[in-house]
Amino acid sequence: MAPSAIPEHHQQREEVFITKKTAATDGPAVTGHLADMLKNDNYWDTFSFAPIRESIVSRAMTRRYFADLDSYAESDIVIVGAGSCGLSCAYTLGKLRPDLKIAIIEAGVAPGGGAWLGGQLFSAMVMRKPADLFLSDLGVPFEDEGDYVVVKHAALFTSTVLSKVLLLPNVKLFNATAVEDLITRKGDDGEKLRVAGVVTNWTLVSMHHDDQSCMDPNTINAPLVISTTGHDGPFGAFSVKRLVSMKQIEQLGGMRGLDMQSAEDAIVKNTREIVPGLIVGGMELSEVDGANRMGPTFGAMALSGVKAAEEALKVFDLRKSQNDI
């Protein structure tokens, strides 16, 4: 199928980029301080960075990080997992409720999960409509193929949503940090537990509990946790597996085989609060419900994140009122 026409607003973005790129081949097409730098033919001959002392760098990093740890020890919402679902959820929540303090906990050094490439290490990312609406809101260009759209490289989507999330003043990403357990309280009904935060540790520490002496964790309190850790794996499906071991759900349904047609609808529609205080979305949900996997199509991951944000806002005030202790 020949590529359909790119929407006008995406064409305009592309034309601006091409104009700048073409101008750059003829000479510097930049403005401001960088332009002033490039005008000076002898700039690099006299080039030198501003002076620095090593301790200044250390304090600049640690002061900010520990201030964040202190601030986000009491969060409004914790998102576990910074893949495409978790980042889409953070983006939506951060825009809709700039008053909420949102912490994202990501076990990997590099956020983004498996969304840096399409299927089988290919570059392009496919999303079925109506996920194109989310791409348009982000400002990610795509080719419209009728029932689905194609982003030329998955990394374009992931880097865009990641950068927009990181720019939100009410969101903090703690990467290279693992969730080792859930903070729980006795539920109001006396039976089901209520989730009231997460137990964290450096990922490298979490990976070596078996061959080193036990190293105790840290905690973040929050009235609501949104878990998007993906399907079963070393860190995958963590929260729902913990619910089984705590006897809050009887067993996992187990992710079924690939069926794109049914899988994406099921994941988005069933994104929900599994137990009080814990919302589950993305492929982690497939392990609970026994839903099919969808393979290399990413619309459900993005829109499950949007749905998780919506579900969170429905119950946030109630969970916050229950979370005083």
Side-chain angles (χ1 to χ4, degrees):
M1 178 186 297
S4 302
I6 300 174
E8 183 179 349
H9 62 288
H10 294 303
Q11 288 179 339
Q12 292 171 349
R13 290 171 58 87
E14 187 71 6
E15 286 168 4
V16 170
F17 171 74
I18 292 172
T19 300
K20 290 182 178 179
K21 183 177 179 182
T22 303
T25 61
D26 299 330
V30 292
T31 59
H33 297 297
L34 182 57
D36 294 338
M37 178 193 300
L38 296 176
K39 285 178 183 177
N40 185 349
D41 293 337
N42 299 320
Y43 180 81
W44 299 112
D45 294 335
T46 58
F47 171 81
S48 179
F49 281 109
I52 197 70
R53 183 173 177 83
E54 289 79 5
S55 60
I56 295 173
V57 176
S58 177
R59 286 169 174 158
M61 294 186 297
T62 55
R63 185 187 304 121
R64 287 164 175 79
Y65 195 85
F66 285 106
D68 285 333
L69 283 178
D70 180 74
S71 176
Y72 284 85
E74 283 283 353
S75 294
D76 291 311
I77 296 176
V78 172
I79 299 172
V80 186
S84 50
C85 182
L87 290 174
S88 299
C89 180
Y91 172 77
T92 305
L93 276 174
K95 286 185 64 178
L96 291 177
R97 289 291 301 270
D99 57 309
L100 297 183
K101 188 187 297 182
I102 302 163
I104 310 173
I105 311 298
E106 166 56 42
V109 172
W116 291 105
L117 290 167
Q120 198 170 316
L121 307 184
F122 300 145
S123 300
M125 171 181 274
V126 176
M127 287 194 181
R128 294 163 62 195
K129 291 182 176 180
D132 60 309
L133 300 176
F134 187 69
L135 293 175
S136 294
D137 191 76
L138 285 172
V140 174
F142 54 81
E143 296 177 53
D144 192 324
E145 295 281 5
D147 290 335
Y148 65 95
V149 298
V150 182
V151 179
K152 69 175 183 178
H153 201 298
L156 179 58
F157 164 77
T158 303
S159 61
T160 301
V161 67
L162 175 59
S163 64
K164 288 184 179 290
V165 166
L166 292 176
L167 285 169
L168 292 169
N170 58 324
V171 178
K172 170 62 183 179
L173 168 66
F174 295 96
N175 49 326
T177 304
V179 170
E180 292 190 334
D181 206 350
L182 302 172
I183 297 174
T184 60
R185 302 282 189 264
K186 184 176 292 187
D188 292 341
D189 58 5
E191 295 181 3
K192 275 198 172 184
L193 295 178
R194 175 172 54 82
V195 173
V198 294
V199 178
T200 64
N201 215 326
W202 308 124
T203 301
L204 290 176
V205 172
S206 292
M207 294 171 66
H208 288 281
H209 283 311
D210 293 338
D211 54 55
Q212 301 291 329
S213 60
C214 180
M215 291 159 278
D216 280 329
N218 199 0
T219 58
I220 298 177
N221 282 103
L224 203 53
V225 174
I226 302 173
S227 192
T228 63
T229 65
H231 54 70
D232 195 9
F235 292 102
F238 171 81
S239 298
V240 297
K241 288 188 291 188
R242 190 69 179 98
L243 290 182
V244 174
S245 65
M246 290 191 293
K247 303 187 185 309
Q248 295 306 296
I249 55 178
E250 184 175 345
Q251 63 181 18
L252 297 182
M255 182 177 65
R256 301 294 197 264
L258 194 151
D259 182 349
M260 286 186 185
Q261 191 67 28
S262 65
E264 291 201 287
D265 286 359
I267 292 299
V268 175
K269 288 180 178 179
N270 293 320
T271 295
R272 65 192 186 279
E273 191 178 39
I274 299 293
V275 299
L278 179 68
I279 292 169
V280 178
M283 291 310 297
E284 185 169 3
L285 187 66
S286 70
E287 299 287 358
V288 180
D289 293 344
N292 294 95
R293 58 185 295 199
M294 74 279 302
T297 175
F298 290 82
M301 294 300 95
L303 296 191
S304 177
V306 175
K307 177 86 177 325
E310 181 180 294
E311 294 297 310
L313 296 181
K314 287 180 183 177
V315 299
F316 176 75
D317 290 339
L318 172 61
R319 299 299 171 228
K320 186 173 177 63
S321 70
Q322 298 170 329
N323 200 50
D324 292 337
I325 299 176

